[in-house]
Amino acid sequence: PSVRQKICYICATIWCIRLLAFVGYRVIIRGSDFRFDKLNAYGQAYSFFAWTSGGTWCFMNFFALWRLADLNPEHTSGKLDALDLLGFFLFAFGLGIETVADLQKYSFNASFASGNNNNWISSGLWSWSRHPNYCGEILLWLGLSFVSVGGIENLKQMTLPNIAIVLTTPIWSITFLVFTSLMLLEKRADKRWGRLETYQNYKRRVPVLFPGL
């Protein structure tokens, strides 16, 4: 593999390790997670659907990297250019946002048993977005998609099918997160705090995903 391909694979590995640590912490250290609890409560059919959805999410997220892996290393061995640097910046920036948001939420919930905190987090990055971790997730996959193009020269030669393959990654990332995890968390939050005027003020003041939108 070329240097560009190697760096992309390293970035994807970092994402996998972060996700493993995130999920492992919630279940092993915190003791439970309401999403995983549903797998046991709703039976085998729901469990099959949930794990299949999770596997599909990961597979579709990697579409841009599948294409990059399929390219001859000679076609991606050129010097890293502005498109690559933009992509790596977005990846690092998104990963940083996601990690900081998770750590802030862990700290906020640390003194409570899992699921027993009766307040919502509205400080730090969570004062800019109701789901800054998902905002970071979307940005990092957008960044890796840019790098997976193989540089500006490859971008000029790409056909529409190849462009569609690369764009599958960021489009799928935002679509899946918004219409599954984000909607589930918003519904759960409304059920717990929707009757409170302070929470309604928080929702009016803080955008659901991207700051300023």
Side-chain angles (χ1 to χ4, degrees):
S2 65
V3 172
R4 181 182 277 107
Q5 289 172 319
K6 288 180 180 178
I7 296 177
C8 268
Y9 304 156
I10 290 172
C11 289
T13 302
I14 292 173
W15 176 84
C16 291
I17 294 173
R18 195 215 70 87
L19 181 61
L20 177 62
F22 169 67
V23 175
Y25 176 87
R26 289 192 314 195
V27 177
I28 298 173
I29 306 300
R30 294 288 292 163
S32 67
D33 183 281
F34 78 94
R35 282 156 290 208
F36 289 109
D37 293 340
K38 283 187 175 183
L39 299 180
N40 297 324
Y42 291 173
Q44 293 181 349
Y46 182 86
S47 183
F48 175 79
F49 168 76
W51 287 111
T52 302
S53 296
T56 302
W57 169 55
C58 292
F59 178 76
M60 298 286 284
N61 266 357
F62 275 73
F63 256 45
L65 293 181
W66 302 147
R67 178 190 175 275
L68 180 66
D70 192 50
L71 293 176
N72 188 315
E74 294 181 359
H75 295 160
T76 66
S77 61
K79 292 183 178 180
L80 300 180
D81 55 31
L83 185 62
D84 299 300
L85 296 179
L86 174 62
F88 288 130
F89 170 78
L90 286 176
F91 173 83
F93 186 60
L95 185 69
I97 289 175
E98 188 174 30
T99 302
V100 170
D102 286 341
L103 292 175
Q104 289 177 342
K105 194 168 186 178
Y106 290 158
S107 177
F108 180 74
N109 290 322
S111 58
F112 298 88
S114 180
N116 289 340
N117 193 343
N118 292 323
N119 296 303
W120 63 93
I121 181 171
S122 59
S123 57
L125 294 178
W126 302 83
S127 66
W128 293 84
S129 167
R130 300 207 296 274
H131 302 277
N133 49 342
Y134 293 157
C135 179
E137 176 81 5
I138 292 167
L139 287 177
L140 73 86
W141 283 114
L142 180 62
L144 282 188
S145 298
F146 286 163
V147 183
S148 295
V149 168
I152 295 176
E153 290 303 316
N154 271 353
L155 177 62
K156 295 177 181 178
Q157 302 171 16
M158 285 179 67
T159 61
L160 286 178
N162 281 324
I163 293 175
I165 291 173
V166 171
L167 289 180
T168 296
T169 290
I171 292 174
W172 172 258
S173 179
I174 189 171
T175 301
F176 187 86
L177 287 175
V178 168
F179 291 102
T180 55
S181 298
L182 189 149
M183 291 183 66
L184 179 64
L185 291 173
E186 284 288 300
K187 182 179 179 180
R188 186 170 185 258
D190 285 339
K191 185 177 180 180
R192 296 182 68 183
W193 305 302
R195 66 187 184 282
L196 301 177
E197 183 63 26
T198 50
Y199 181 70
Q200 292 300 326
N201 289 336
Y202 171 70
K203 289 185 67 174
R204 284 191 288 266
R205 187 179 73 254
V206 180
V208 65
L209 190 58
F210 294 105
L213 297 180

